[in-house]
Amino acid sequence: MCTAQYRVDGLGARIVLLPARCVPGEHVLAASGYTATLTAEGVLCVACSACTTSDVDGRWLLATTGEASRAEFSATAYPNTTSTR
């Protein structure tokens, strides 16, 4: 499981960075659709809507390290490979 990446904006707000693509790298999440849920255990699950209709597991499971004010996509925070899930 990867650890969620964060950044701090100019006003000091903490922002969690969501992966821009599904784990296999086939879909851009903002275009294909996604869900992002945070479990009680602090795991952020980002699931690709396009992958859920196939047999491919396009979910990112990210361990969180605290709260964030908001979320945004990052094309560079997470590699597009299933070995990092």
Side-chain angles (χ1 to χ4, degrees):
M1 179 180 328
C2 292
T3 301
Q5 301 296 308
Y6 298 85
R7 75 174 190 87
V8 177
D9 71 8
L11 299 174
R14 192 168 190 236
I15 301 163
V16 64
L17 302 174
L18 302 178
R21 294 183 161 276
C22 61
V23 171
E26 296 177 20
H27 308 107
V28 176
L29 297 181
S32 64
Y34 69 98
T35 58
T37 55
L38 183 62
T39 69
E41 295 80 21
V43 175
L44 178 60
C45 177
V46 182
C48 174
S49 297
C51 287
T52 59
T53 61
S54 67
D55 291 334
V56 176
D57 185 0
R59 295 177 303 148
W60 286 95
L61 301 175
L62 306 170
T64 59
T65 59
E67 295 185 18
S69 300
R70 64 183 190 272
E72 64 185 37
F73 287 111
S74 173
T76 59
Y78 306 96
N80 289 332
T81 174
T82 56
S83 65
T84 61
R85 268 201 38 206

mmCIF file of all heavy atoms in Angstrom, residues 32-62:
data_model
loop_
_atom_site.group_PDB
_atom_site.id
_atom_site.type_symbol
_atom_site.label_atom_id
_atom_site.label_comp_id
_atom_site.label_asym_id
_atom_site.label_seq_id
_atom_site.Cartn_x
_atom_site.Cartn_y
_atom_site.Cartn_z
ATOM 1 N N SER A 32 -12.858 9.577 -16.794
ATOM 2 C CA SER A 32 -13.589 8.303 -16.781
ATOM 3 C C SER A 32 -14.498 8.161 -15.573
ATOM 4 O O SER A 32 -15.377 7.317 -15.549
ATOM 5 C CB SER A 32 -12.625 7.124 -16.844
ATOM 6 O OG SER A 32 -11.810 7.102 -15.692
ATOM 7 N N GLY A 33 -14.271 8.957 -14.542
ATOM 8 C CA GLY A 33 -15.042 8.881 -13.315
ATOM 9 C C GLY A 33 -14.310 8.095 -12.240
ATOM 10 O O GLY A 33 -13.500 7.226 -12.545
ATOM 11 N N TYR A 34 -14.600 8.413 -11.003
ATOM 12 C CA TYR A 34 -13.929 7.773 -9.877
ATOM 13 C C TYR A 34 -14.743 7.985 -8.605
ATOM 14 O O TYR A 34 -15.634 8.837 -8.559
ATOM 15 C CB TYR A 34 -12.523 8.345 -9.677
ATOM 16 C CG TYR A 34 -12.552 9.767 -9.178
ATOM 17 C CD1 TYR A 34 -12.396 10.051 -7.824
ATOM 18 C CD2 TYR A 34 -12.773 10.832 -10.044
ATOM 19 C CE1 TYR A 34 -12.458 11.349 -7.360
ATOM 20 C CE2 TYR A 34 -12.829 12.125 -9.591
ATOM 21 C CZ TYR A 34 -12.676 12.382 -8.246
ATOM 22 O OH TYR A 34 -12.752 13.669 -7.785
ATOM 23 N N THR A 35 -14.426 7.215 -7.590
ATOM 24 C CA THR A 35 -14.920 7.462 -6.241
ATOM 25 C C THR A 35 -13.722 7.482 -5.314
ATOM 26 O O THR A 35 -12.753 6.751 -5.525
ATOM 27 C CB THR A 35 -15.916 6.382 -5.763
ATOM 28 O OG1 THR A 35 -15.272 5.110 -5.810
ATOM 29 C CG2 THR A 35 -17.174 6.361 -6.609
ATOM 30 N N ALA A 36 -13.776 8.328 -4.325
ATOM 31 C CA ALA A 36 -12.725 8.401 -3.314
ATOM 32 C C ALA A 36 -13.395 8.303 -1.955
ATOM 33 O O ALA A 36 -14.253 9.122 -1.624
ATOM 34 C CB ALA A 36 -11.941 9.695 -3.448
ATOM 35 N N THR A 37 -13.024 7.279 -1.196
ATOM 36 C CA THR A 37 -13.606 7.080 0.133
ATOM 37 C C THR A 37 -12.488 6.864 1.144
ATOM 38 O O THR A 37 -11.452 6.287 0.831
ATOM 39 C CB THR A 37 -14.558 5.873 0.154
ATOM 40 O OG1 THR A 37 -13.869 4.721 -0.327
ATOM 41 C CG2 THR A 37 -15.782 6.110 -0.716
ATOM 42 N N LEU A 38 -12.744 7.336 2.350
ATOM 43 C CA LEU A 38 -11.791 7.186 3.441
ATOM 44 C C LEU A 38 -12.386 6.238 4.466
ATOM 45 O O LEU A 38 -13.495 6.461 4.965
ATOM 46 C CB LEU A 38 -11.497 8.540 4.085
ATOM 47 C CG LEU A 38 -10.470 8.573 5.196
ATOM 48 C CD1 LEU A 38 -9.102 8.128 4.690
ATOM 49 C CD2 LEU A 38 -10.382 9.966 5.799
ATOM 50 N N THR A 39 -11.671 5.153 4.764
ATOM 51 C CA THR A 39 -12.171 4.181 5.735
ATOM 52 C C THR A 39 -11.892 4.672 7.152
ATOM 53 O O THR A 39 -11.096 5.591 7.372
ATOM 54 C CB THR A 39 -11.498 2.807 5.549
ATOM 55 O OG1 THR A 39 -10.117 2.919 5.935
ATOM 56 C CG2 THR A 39 -11.622 2.314 4.123
ATOM 57 N N ALA A 40 -12.531 4.028 8.117
ATOM 58 C CA ALA A 40 -12.313 4.358 9.525
ATOM 59 C C ALA A 40 -10.871 4.080 9.943
ATOM 60 O O ALA A 40 -10.367 4.677 10.884
ATOM 61 C CB ALA A 40 -13.282 3.563 10.402
ATOM 62 N N GLU A 41 -10.205 3.176 9.209
ATOM 63 C CA GLU A 41 -8.808 2.831 9.512
ATOM 64 C C GLU A 41 -7.821 3.810 8.884
ATOM 65 O O GLU A 41 -6.612 3.633 8.996
ATOM 66 C CB GLU A 41 -8.493 1.417 9.029
ATOM 67 C CG GLU A 41 -9.260 0.334 9.749
ATOM 68 C CD GLU A 41 -10.689 0.167 9.239
ATOM 69 O OE1 GLU A 41 -10.975 0.593 8.092
ATOM 70 O OE2 GLU A 41 -11.520 -0.368 9.979
ATOM 71 N N GLY A 42 -8.308 4.825 8.166
ATOM 72 C CA GLY A 42 -7.428 5.814 7.562
ATOM 73 C C GLY A 42 -6.885 5.424 6.204
ATOM 74 O O GLY A 42 -5.854 5.935 5.781
ATOM 75 N N VAL A 43 -7.562 4.522 5.498
ATOM 76 C CA VAL A 43 -7.138 4.136 4.155
ATOM 77 C C VAL A 43 -8.015 4.872 3.146
ATOM 78 O O VAL A 43 -9.238 4.804 3.206
ATOM 79 C CB VAL A 43 -7.251 2.608 3.939
ATOM 80 C CG1 VAL A 43 -6.914 2.235 2.501
ATOM 81 C CG2 VAL A 43 -6.338 1.881 4.909
ATOM 82 N N LEU A 44 -7.376 5.591 2.246
ATOM 83 C CA LEU A 44 -8.072 6.301 1.177
ATOM 84 C C LEU A 44 -8.135 5.375 -0.026
ATOM 85 O O LEU A 44 -7.113 4.942 -0.542
ATOM 86 C CB LEU A 44 -7.324 7.587 0.826
ATOM 87 C CG LEU A 44 -7.883 8.432 -0.303
ATOM 88 C CD1 LEU A 44 -9.300 8.899 -0.003
ATOM 89 C CD2 LEU A 44 -6.963 9.630 -0.547
ATOM 90 N N CYS A 45 -9.353 5.050 -0.454
ATOM 91 C CA CYS A 45 -9.559 4.175 -1.610
ATOM 92 C C CYS A 45 -10.037 5.040 -2.770
ATOM 93 O O CYS A 45 -11.091 5.664 -2.693
ATOM 94 C CB CYS A 45 -10.576 3.097 -1.285
ATOM 95 S SG CYS A 45 -10.938 2.027 -2.689
ATOM 96 N N VAL A 46 -9.250 5.080 -3.834
ATOM 97 C CA VAL A 46 -9.600 5.825 -5.039
ATOM 98 C C VAL A 46 -9.849 4.787 -6.128
ATOM 99 O O VAL A 46 -8.926 4.103 -6.561
ATOM 100 C CB VAL A 46 -8.474 6.800 -5.456
ATOM 101 C CG1 VAL A 46 -8.883 7.603 -6.678
ATOM 102 C CG2 VAL A 46 -8.117 7.732 -4.299
ATOM 103 N N ALA A 47 -11.117 4.655 -6.544
ATOM 104 C CA ALA A 47 -11.508 3.600 -7.483
ATOM 105 C C ALA A 47 -11.894 4.207 -8.827
ATOM 106 O O ALA A 47 -12.664 5.161 -8.891
ATOM 107 C CB ALA A 47 -12.667 2.800 -6.926
ATOM 108 N N CYS A 48 -11.378 3.642 -9.890
ATOM 109 C CA CYS A 48 -11.669 4.064 -11.255
ATOM 110 C C CYS A 48 -13.016 3.482 -11.693
ATOM 111 O O CYS A 48 -13.205 2.264 -11.641
ATOM 112 C CB CYS A 48 -10.555 3.582 -12.186
ATOM 113 S SG CYS A 48 -10.864 3.869 -13.931
ATOM 114 N N SER A 49 -13.938 4.323 -12.126
ATOM 115 C CA SER A 49 -15.254 3.854 -12.579
ATOM 116 C C SER A 49 -15.146 2.987 -13.824
ATOM 117 O O SER A 49 -15.882 2.012 -13.969
ATOM 118 C CB SER A 49 -16.165 5.042 -12.858
ATOM 119 O OG SER A 49 -16.380 5.777 -11.680
ATOM 120 N N ALA A 50 -14.240 3.298 -14.723
ATOM 121 C CA ALA A 50 -14.085 2.517 -15.949
ATOM 122 C C ALA A 50 -13.539 1.125 -15.651
ATOM 123 O O ALA A 50 -13.935 0.148 -16.289
ATOM 124 C CB ALA A 50 -13.180 3.240 -16.942
ATOM 125 N N CYS A 51 -12.650 1.000 -14.696
ATOM 126 C CA CYS A 51 -12.076 -0.314 -14.359
ATOM 127 C C CYS A 51 -13.079 -1.197 -13.633
ATOM 128 O O CYS A 51 -12.991 -2.425 -13.730
ATOM 129 C CB CYS A 51 -10.831 -0.146 -13.502
ATOM 130 S SG CYS A 51 -9.386 0.453 -14.385
ATOM 131 N N THR A 52 -14.034 -0.617 -12.923
ATOM 132 C CA THR A 52 -14.999 -1.441 -12.187
ATOM 133 C C THR A 52 -15.927 -2.208 -13.116
ATOM 134 O O THR A 52 -16.528 -3.191 -12.702
ATOM 135 C CB THR A 52 -15.842 -0.607 -11.206
ATOM 136 O OG1 THR A 52 -16.549 0.395 -11.929
ATOM 137 C CG2 THR A 52 -14.977 0.027 -10.136
ATOM 138 N N THR A 53 -16.033 -1.797 -14.375
ATOM 139 C CA THR A 53 -16.869 -2.514 -15.334
ATOM 140 C C THR A 53 -16.111 -3.637 -16.033
ATOM 141 O O THR A 53 -16.670 -4.346 -16.844
ATOM 142 C CB THR A 53 -17.447 -1.552 -16.389
ATOM 143 O OG1 THR A 53 -16.366 -0.943 -17.097
ATOM 144 C CG2 THR A 53 -18.305 -0.481 -15.742
ATOM 145 N N SER A 54 -14.835 -3.787 -15.713
ATOM 146 C CA SER A 54 -14.026 -4.867 -16.298
ATOM 147 C C SER A 54 -13.457 -5.718 -15.163
ATOM 148 O O SER A 54 -13.770 -5.512 -14.006
ATOM 149 C CB SER A 54 -12.900 -4.279 -17.147
ATOM 150 O OG SER A 54 -11.976 -3.601 -16.325
ATOM 151 N N ASP A 55 -12.613 -6.646 -15.498
ATOM 152 C CA ASP A 55 -11.995 -7.497 -14.484
ATOM 153 C C ASP A 55 -10.703 -6.904 -13.921
ATOM 154 O O ASP A 55 -10.008 -7.555 -13.155
ATOM 155 C CB ASP A 55 -11.682 -8.880 -15.081
ATOM 156 C CG ASP A 55 -12.944 -9.668 -15.366
ATOM 157 O OD1 ASP A 55 -13.958 -9.425 -14.700
ATOM 158 O OD2 ASP A 55 -12.908 -10.531 -16.264
ATOM 159 N N VAL A 56 -10.390 -5.683 -14.283
ATOM 160 C CA VAL A 56 -9.157 -5.029 -13.839
ATOM 161 C C VAL A 56 -9.416 -4.314 -12.515
ATOM 162 O O VAL A 56 -10.427 -3.657 -12.340
ATOM 163 C CB VAL A 56 -8.682 -4.013 -14.901
ATOM 164 C CG1 VAL A 56 -7.461 -3.258 -14.435
ATOM 165 C CG2 VAL A 56 -8.411 -4.719 -16.216
ATOM 166 N N ASP A 57 -8.486 -4.465 -11.583
ATOM 167 C CA ASP A 57 -8.587 -3.751 -10.312
ATOM 168 C C ASP A 57 -7.871 -2.407 -10.479
ATOM 169 O O ASP A 57 -6.652 -2.349 -10.449
ATOM 170 C CB ASP A 57 -7.967 -4.559 -9.179
ATOM 171 C CG ASP A 57 -8.164 -3.912 -7.821
ATOM 172 O OD1 ASP A 57 -8.785 -2.830 -7.740
ATOM 173 O OD2 ASP A 57 -7.694 -4.487 -6.827
ATOM 174 N N GLY A 58 -8.636 -1.347 -10.664
ATOM 175 C CA GLY A 58 -8.075 -0.014 -10.870
ATOM 176 C C GLY A 58 -8.083 0.835 -9.621
ATOM 177 O O GLY A 58 -8.019 2.053 -9.695
ATOM 178 N N ARG A 59 -8.134 0.199 -8.437
ATOM 179 C CA ARG A 59 -8.204 0.939 -7.172
ATOM 180 C C ARG A 59 -6.814 1.257 -6.619
ATOM 181 O O ARG A 59 -5.935 0.409 -6.601
ATOM 182 C CB ARG A 59 -8.931 0.141 -6.097
ATOM 183 C CG ARG A 59 -10.362 -0.127 -6.372
ATOM 184 C CD ARG A 59 -10.956 -0.985 -5.271
ATOM 185 N NE ARG A 59 -10.174 -2.232 -5.156
ATOM 186 C CZ ARG A 59 -9.984 -2.900 -4.020
ATOM 187 N NH1 ARG A 59 -10.515 -2.490 -2.900
ATOM 188 N NH2 ARG A 59 -9.265 -4.008 -4.014
ATOM 189 N N TRP A 60 -6.677 2.469 -6.154
ATOM 190 C CA TRP A 60 -5.519 2.849 -5.363
ATOM 191 C C TRP A 60 -5.921 2.740 -3.902
ATOM 192 O O TRP A 60 -6.984 3.215 -3.499
ATOM 193 C CB TRP A 60 -5.120 4.298 -5.642
ATOM 194 C CG TRP A 60 -4.461 4.517 -6.948
ATOM 195 C CD1 TRP A 60 -5.051 4.902 -8.116
ATOM 196 C CD2 TRP A 60 -3.076 4.381 -7.237
ATOM 197 N NE1 TRP A 60 -4.122 5.005 -9.108
ATOM 198 C CE2 TRP A 60 -2.896 4.698 -8.591
ATOM 199 C CE3 TRP A 60 -1.967 4.013 -6.470
ATOM 200 C CZ2 TRP A 60 -1.642 4.669 -9.202
ATOM 201 C CZ3 TRP A 60 -0.724 3.989 -7.088
ATOM 202 C CH2 TRP A 60 -0.571 4.308 -8.438
ATOM 203 N N LEU A 61 -5.089 2.125 -3.073
ATOM 204 C CA LEU A 61 -5.279 2.074 -1.636
ATOM 205 C C LEU A 61 -4.125 2.842 -1.018
ATOM 206 O O LEU A 61 -2.967 2.433 -1.128
ATOM 207 C CB LEU A 61 -5.311 0.628 -1.147
ATOM 208 C CG LEU A 61 -6.407 -0.242 -1.772
ATOM 209 C CD1 LEU A 61 -6.262 -1.678 -1.312
ATOM 210 C CD2 LEU A 61 -7.780 0.309 -1.443
ATOM 211 N N LEU A 62 -4.446 3.968 -0.391
ATOM 212 C CA LEU A 62 -3.427 4.885 0.112
ATOM 213 C C LEU A 62 -3.573 5.070 1.617
ATOM 214 O O LEU A 62 -4.647 5.441 2.102
ATOM 215 C CB LEU A 62 -3.554 6.244 -0.580
ATOM 216 C CG LEU A 62 -3.546 6.220 -2.112
ATOM 217 C CD1 LEU A 62 -3.928 7.577 -2.668
ATOM 218 C CD2 LEU A 62 -2.188 5.786 -2.617
#
